[in-house]
C-alpha cells in the first residue's frame, strides 16, 4: 500500500493509492492521526479503503510530504554505509571519524518537511557548503520499548524517502550536527509511505541521487552497516520510540563533500532522490 498526504480544493487529505493510481481518502485528518491510531483499527481502515473505489487521481491533487509536520525530531544515523563513512572521514577527519563499533545517532529538527516539488531553502546567508543525502526512512506504526531484534519489523509501518540536507560548514564548525542538519526546510520527504508488506525485510532497494541529471549516489538499501532491526532494538532499550517515529537510516557514498573538489549545491540545482518501489522526491534549491 502507498499512503499519501495531499491537498485537493484547499483541503488536506490522507489517501491510500488504489487501482490504476487512483486515490482513496481515508478517515484521518493527518498522517500523524493515522500513525497514532490503534494498530488493529488502522489495519481495518486500510483494508476497507483498499476495497473502495478510487475518487481522485494523482494529477488532480498536490502531493505533500507524507508527514508534513512530524510529531518529533527525526532520528538519523550518520555514516551508515561503509563507502560514505570513508568519504566523510576524508573530507574532515576530525569531524567525521568515529569508532566503528557503535552506531552514530543524531537528531534532525523537522518542524515542517517540504514535499515533492517544494523548494529547498539554501540559507546561503549562513551556509557555504550545502549538501544532499538520499536516505531510506523507516516509519514506526506502534510504540517500541525494549524490542528484541528479531521482533523489530513488527513495529514498522512502512518506508519513505528523506533527503537529509546538510550545511557542512555548520555541521563541522559546531563540532556536532544539530544546527547543520536542522535548518528550516532541510528535511524534504516523500512522495509517500509504502507499507512494509511491499518489501523484503530488510528492504533491498536501489537508492539513487541525481543532481541536474548527473547520477551521484547509486547503492542498495541493504548495504547498511547497522541494519534497521538492530537500530530499533538498540534505541528501544533505553528510550520509547513512539508510533510515528521516523528513522533515517543513512546515506550512501556520492554526496557533494565526497568529491575532489566538493560538488556542493547552488541556487537553481535540481535534486532528484529515488528509492526503488517508493518513488521519486525531486526538489530545487532556492
Amino acid at each position: 500500500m502507498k499512503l499519501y498526504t495531499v491537498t485537493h480544493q484547499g483541503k488536506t487529505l490522507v489517501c491510500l493509492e488504489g487501482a490504476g493510481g487512483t486515490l482513496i481518502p481515508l478517515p484521518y485528518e493527518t498522517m500523524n492521526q493515522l500513525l497514532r491510531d490503534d494498530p488493529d483499527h488502522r489495519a481495518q481502515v486500510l483494508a476497507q479503503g483498499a476495497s473502495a473505489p478510487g475518487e481522485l487521481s494523482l494529477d488532480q491533487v498536490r502531493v505533500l510530504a507524507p508527514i508534513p509536520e512530524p510529531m518529533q525530531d527525526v532520528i538519523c544515523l550518520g555514516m551508515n554505509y561503509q563507502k560514505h563513512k570513508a568519504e566523510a572521514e576524508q573530507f574532515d577527519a576530525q569531524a567525521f571519524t568515529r569508532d566503528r563499533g557503535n552506531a552514530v545517532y543524531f537528531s534532525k529538527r523537522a518542524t515542517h518537511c517540504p514535499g515533492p516539488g517544494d523548494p529547498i531553502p539554501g540559507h546561503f546567508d549562513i551556509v557555504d557548503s550545502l549538501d544532499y543525502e538520499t536516505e531510506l526512512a523507516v516509519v514506526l506504526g506502534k510504540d517500541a520499548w525494549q524490542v528484541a531484534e528479531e521482533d523489530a519489523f513488527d513495529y514498522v509501518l512502512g518506508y519513505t524517502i528523506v533527503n537529509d540536507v546538510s550545511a557542512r560548514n555548520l555541521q563541522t564548525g559546531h563540532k556536532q550536527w544539530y544546527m547543520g542538519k536542522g535548518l528550516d526546510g532541510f528535511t524534504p520527504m516523500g512522495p509517500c509511505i509504502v507499507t512494509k508488506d511491499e518489501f523484503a525485510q530488510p528492504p533491498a532497494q536501489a537508492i539513487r541521487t541525481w543532481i541536474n541529471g548527473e547520477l551521484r549516489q547509486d547503492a542498495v538499501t541493504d548495504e547498511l552497516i547497522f541494519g534497521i532491526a538492530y537500530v530499533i532494538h538498540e534505541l528501544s532499550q533505553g528510550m520509547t520510540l513512539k508510533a510515528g517515529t521516523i528513522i533515517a537510516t543513512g546515506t550512501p557514498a556520492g554526496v557533494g563533500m565526497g568529491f575532489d573538489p566538493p560538488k556542493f549545491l547552488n541556487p537553481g540545482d535540481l535534486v532528484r532522490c529515488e528509492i526503488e518501489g517508493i518513488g521519486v522526491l525531486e526538489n530545487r534549491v532556492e
Side-chain angles (χ1 to χ4, degrees), residues 177-252:
W177 300 358
Y178 193 69
M179 185 177 183
K181 297 280 193 172
L183 299 183
D184 289 352
F186 270 22
T187 314
M189 180 192 299
C192 59
I193 296 171
V194 181
T195 54
K196 66 181 178 183
D197 55 289
E198 298 288 333
F199 302 115
Q201 306 302 327
Q205 308 300 117
I207 178 171
R208 301 185 179 96
T209 308
W210 289 263
I211 307 300
N212 301 324
E214 177 190 2
L215 181 63
R216 298 274 186 90
Q217 294 182 285
D218 189 0
V220 181
T221 59
D222 67 349
E223 297 174 358
L224 303 176
I225 298 172
F226 297 96
I228 293 166
Y230 175 86
V231 167
I232 293 172
H233 160 71
E234 181 172 63
L235 289 172
S236 70
Q237 298 314 296
M239 65 177 74
T240 300
L241 304 177
K242 302 291 288 184
T245 293
I246 303 164
I247 303 172
T249 57
T251 199

Side-chain angles (χ1 to χ4, degrees), residues 66-130:
I67 311 174
E69 297 180 355
M71 291 178 276
Q72 55 189 320
D73 288 358
V74 176
I75 299 173
C76 300
L77 279 96
M79 301 177 296
N80 202 28
Y81 288 75
Q82 189 59 51
K83 291 181 180 179
H84 174 59
K85 182 176 185 296
E87 71 180 357
E89 291 172 344
Q90 182 175 354
F91 177 75
D92 189 325
Q94 182 178 3
F96 291 106
T97 300
R98 295 291 187 273
D99 180 359
R100 292 187 182 186
N102 295 292
V104 176
Y105 297 113
F106 61 94
S107 178
K108 185 175 180 75
R109 189 163 183 81
T111 53
H112 180 79
C113 298
D118 290 337
I120 297 172
H123 297 280
F124 291 111
D125 54 334
I126 57 173
V127 176
D128 63 12
S129 44
L130 188 69

Side-chain angles (χ1 to χ4, degrees), residues 3-4 13-16 24-29 34 45-46 48-50:
L3 302 171
Y4 288 87
L13 303 171
V14 177
C15 296
L16 171 68
I24 302 148
L26 297 172
Y28 298 104
E29 293 183 3
L34 180 152
V45 171
L46 294 179
Q48 291 170 358

Side-chain angles (χ1 to χ4, degrees), residues 136-190:
L136 175 71
V138 180
V139 181
L140 299 190
K142 60 181 181 179
D143 293 356
W145 166 250
Q146 293 191 337
V147 173
E149 192 167 347
E150 59 268 24
D151 298 329
F153 287 105
D154 294 343
Y155 295 81
V156 175
L157 174 71
Y159 305 94
T160 190
I161 303 170
V162 161
N163 182 357
D164 178 18
V165 180
S166 305
R168 300 301 185 193
N169 61 309
L170 300 180
Q171 184 183 12
T172 58
H174 285 273
K175 308 305 180 187
Q176 50 73 38
W177 300 358
Y178 193 69
M179 185 177 183
K181 297 280 193 172
L183 299 183
D184 289 352
F186 270 22
T187 314
M189 180 192 299

